[in-house]
Amino acid sequence: MSANGTHAQLSGACLCGAVSVRVRPTRPELHACHCEMCRTWTGVALVEIDVAPKDFEASGPIKRFTSSDWAERAWCDACGTTLWYKLTIPGREHFAVSAGLFPDAGNFPLTKEIYIDRKPAGYAFAGDHLRQTKQQFEASLASASQGETQ
Ligand SMILES: [Zn+2]
Ligand SMILES: [Zn+2]
């Protein structure tokens, strides 16, 4: 689906208000990642909204941590709020912006969970949507890198 520019801009902020973000989501959808890093970083899972670099603006005291060879994670230096995960592979950059920054998470539905096989058994998100294991998700990334980026 090519929907760039068709979704309304969302404005959000961190807990203390020092960081503000303005984004135009690629799709009106929430995605959740249950990988070990996202769980350590957020407490449960990173629930995020995908945004292309051209549709992304942020200002404030932003700190970044290079969490792998292909990604960085950003937070507010004043209050510690999780801001976004950014894929940094040249030509494939995109932001996975924390849904918690936006009122009612944009009112978007959860449509995908990844690293579902890394999720602890003690909780689960409800709903009938795509759930990918680590292996399935990484295979989809590898095939995407040969053609269109997602
Ligand atoms: Zn803050
Ligand atoms: Zn993750």
Side-chain angles (χ1 to χ4, degrees):
M1 183 170 86
S2 176
N4 288 337
T6 62
H7 301 295
Q9 182 165 282
L10 292 180
S11 295
C14 66
L15 195 58
C16 76
V19 174
S20 60
V21 299
R22 287 159 306 284
V23 305
R24 203 171 290 280
T26 304
R27 297 176 203 82
E29 296 178 359
L30 303 177
H31 301 153
C33 182
H34 299 284
C35 81
E36 289 86 347
M37 282 197 281
C38 285
R39 288 194 289 110
T40 301
W41 191 40
T42 64
V44 183
L46 176 63
V47 178
E48 54 87 0
I49 297 170
D50 286 347
V51 179
K54 69 178 175 57
D55 296 324
F56 178 90
E57 281 178 64
S59 59
I62 296 159
K63 289 282 202 179
R64 294 172 177 82
F65 171 64
T66 302
S67 57
S68 67
D69 289 343
W70 57 85
E72 65 181 27
R73 294 168 190 261
W75 69 96
C76 172
D77 192 32
C79 71
T81 294
T82 295
L83 297 174
W84 60 79
Y85 169 100
K86 182 186 181 190
L87 191 66
T88 55
I89 298 169
R92 299 190 54 206
E93 295 95 341
H94 87 262
F95 292 88
V97 183
S98 176
L101 303 180
F102 306 104
D104 297 319
N107 284 312
F108 298 160
L110 181 68
T111 62
K112 183 166 77 170
E113 294 179 63
I114 61 173
Y115 291 79
I116 194 72
D117 53 330
R118 297 304 197 261
K119 181 185 71 58
Y123 58 80
F125 292 139
D128 185 17
H129 50 254
L130 182 63
R131 292 182 171 88
Q132 292 183 317
T133 63
K134 177 179 193 289
Q135 187 178 22
Q136 287 168 333
F137 175 69
E138 291 176 1
S140 74
L141 271 188
S143 63
S145 70
Q146 288 157 11
E148 191 74 3
T149 58
Q150 67 170 8

